[in-house]
Amino acid sequence: MAKIIPFKAVRPTRDKVSLVASRSYQTYTKAEREARLDYNPFSFLHIVNPGYKYDKEITGIQRYQLVKNRYQEFKEDDVFVQDDKTCFYIYKIIDRDGQVFNGIVAAASAEDYEKNIIKKHEDTIEYREHIFKNYLKTVGFNAEPVLLTYPDNDKIFSVIEKVQQERAEFEFTTTYKDTHYLWLLDGDSDLETLTKSFNEMPSLYIADGHHRSASSYLLYKDLKQNNPSHNGTEPYNYFMSFLIPESELKIYAFNRHIKDLNGLSKEEFLIQLDAEYRIENRGKTAYQPTTKHHFTMYLDGEFYSLYLRKSNYKFNTSLDALDSQLLYKTILEPILGIEDPRNDLRIHYSNGKGDIINIKNAVDSGEYAVGFGMVAITIDELKQIADDGLKMPPKSTFIEPKLRSGVTIYEF
């Protein structure tokens, strides 16, 4: 029931792909962005940051039009070339830690998103959806795929494994020490096998890219409504996705850092906390939780382990059992006064892939009063939340892999 189709990607030439490929714009520091813009004329950052050419910050529709202009220039200069045949693109990443990700770049159905065949586990912000929809409508392409996950499937694995016996079309290593490989899959038999295998799946799940998929869906509705000749085969009926099996998805938690104790003294805060948790002071010894409903807390130069008093907390839904929701309902909202964790400026999030000492460093800097860490959710928890039609609190998951922008581009 899940529909994915091959497409004719616009791609960098083999000799320039390593120069073109970039991380998401927001992940670079200002100094990193400027260095790449100054010294790499082929970086995809030149397309998404068109004001660099004029040494001016440009926003809104004017920026979108300039993005389109820069993109067309890359095509005119043969930095980008479109494939002649429709393909699925087999994509492999080996990251600096030796983790391997194997997936398929394909076009996923906006109608499947509408029908909840493509399932969501996060809320999106409406104004951001519309901003990105207008961006897509102006530039006419998508260069960063939505990350979707599916149950492990032997037929799909066999096709991927067979294709990877051939020489990769792309093979490049980034300055992050991640190695990327891309193969083109255009054989009719293999295309049919993949298409049929996905069509037999009742659901796909968004792992990363909720705003991108929501914006693509809005674009689909907009263009469909304004096209009297709409027949369902137009490129805008789909959006570019990277589909990866559940077993290869890596999920990490996010840490929470809070700027103050909501007017409470340290002692008052701990006393209120004691009603919900058994608290153990671990002094300077870093505590890394390994079990659900256990948290690490760093406060005033010391680590604490927090163990939920389960007799005081009712698990009525799958969301209630989620640790990010649990932390919000027992500490952040009632004690620290964080009512809107998405927009409250008193809370900051850092991904939990790194060492727990990151929480200590954030608090010791003086910018934050207290920090919390938790174990990562599982893929089964993510799917259950989505199946139940519920939404996780913001920053409940940090998910890998992270693809590079500009390696495959989908035009509509």
Side-chain angles (χ1 to χ4, degrees), residues 111 121 220:
E111 189 176 20
H121 66 265
Y220 151 77

Side-chain angles (χ1 to χ4, degrees), residues 246-388:
E246 293 172 5
S247 63
E248 293 189 19
L249 202 67
K250 302 300 179 186
I251 305 177
Y252 303 91
F254 269 95
N255 302 320
R256 273 83 169 130
H257 313 298
I258 315 299
K259 287 185 176 292
D260 59 69
L261 298 181
N262 197 28
L264 301 172
S265 68
K266 172 184 173 181
E267 291 72 22
E268 290 169 334
F269 171 63
L270 289 172
I271 288 171
Q272 290 199 30
L273 198 60
D274 191 82
E276 302 290 347
Y277 291 89
R278 181 163 59 87
I279 306 170
E280 190 173 320
N281 186 329
R282 294 180 177 264
K284 303 296 182 183
T285 303
Y287 171 69
Q288 178 74 59
T290 57
T291 307
K292 280 176 61 64
H293 312 330
H294 292 187
F295 300 93
T296 186
M297 180 176 74
Y298 185 74
L299 172 69
D300 194 26
E302 295 179 311
F303 284 94
Y304 295 80
S305 51
L306 308 181
Y307 306 97
L308 178 70
R309 298 187 189 278
K310 294 183 179 181
S311 60
N312 294 350
Y313 190 82
K314 302 299 182 185
F315 299 101
N316 297 314
T317 69
S318 56
L319 181 61
D320 294 333
L322 204 67
D323 279 350
S324 56
Q325 176 75 356
L326 183 60
L327 187 71
Y328 170 66
K329 296 302 291 186
T330 59
I331 302 177
L332 300 185
E333 181 184 37
I335 301 177
L336 294 176
I338 305 290
E339 296 183 359
D340 181 3
R342 187 177 298 278
N343 299 305
D344 196 314
L345 297 179
R346 294 171 55 228
I347 187 170
H348 172 75
Y349 302 92
S350 64
N351 78 71
K353 184 180 179 182
D355 194 281
I356 201 72
I357 296 300
N358 289 341
I359 297 176
K360 176 182 186 300
N361 292 339
V363 175
D364 286 349
S365 71
E367 188 174 358
Y368 302 97
V370 62
F372 300 94
M374 67 194 80
V375 299
I377 72 164
T378 66
I379 183 62
D380 289 337
E381 288 178 299
L382 183 153
K383 291 171 62 178
Q384 191 64 58
I385 292 288
D387 289 344
D388 293 344

Side-chain angles (χ1 to χ4, degrees), residues 58-89:
I58 301 173
T59 59
I61 295 297
Q62 186 180 42
R63 173 179 171 265
Y64 305 163
Q65 186 58 54
L66 288 176
V67 168
K68 183 177 181 178
N69 294 348
R70 293 293 87 74
Y71 173 65
Q72 291 300 328
E73 289 169 6
F74 270 50
K75 291 179 70 177
E76 291 163 4
D77 293 340
D78 292 328
V79 177
F80 285 139
V81 178
Q82 187 166 30
D83 287 320
D84 295 328
K85 296 182 179 180
T86 57
C87 303
F88 287 128
Y89 299 88

Side-chain angles (χ1 to χ4, degrees), residues 220-231:
Y220 151 77
K221 287 207 305 181
D222 189 335
L223 296 180
K224 175 183 176 181
Q225 182 178 354
N226 290 285
N227 181 8
S229 302
H230 173 84
N231 59 28

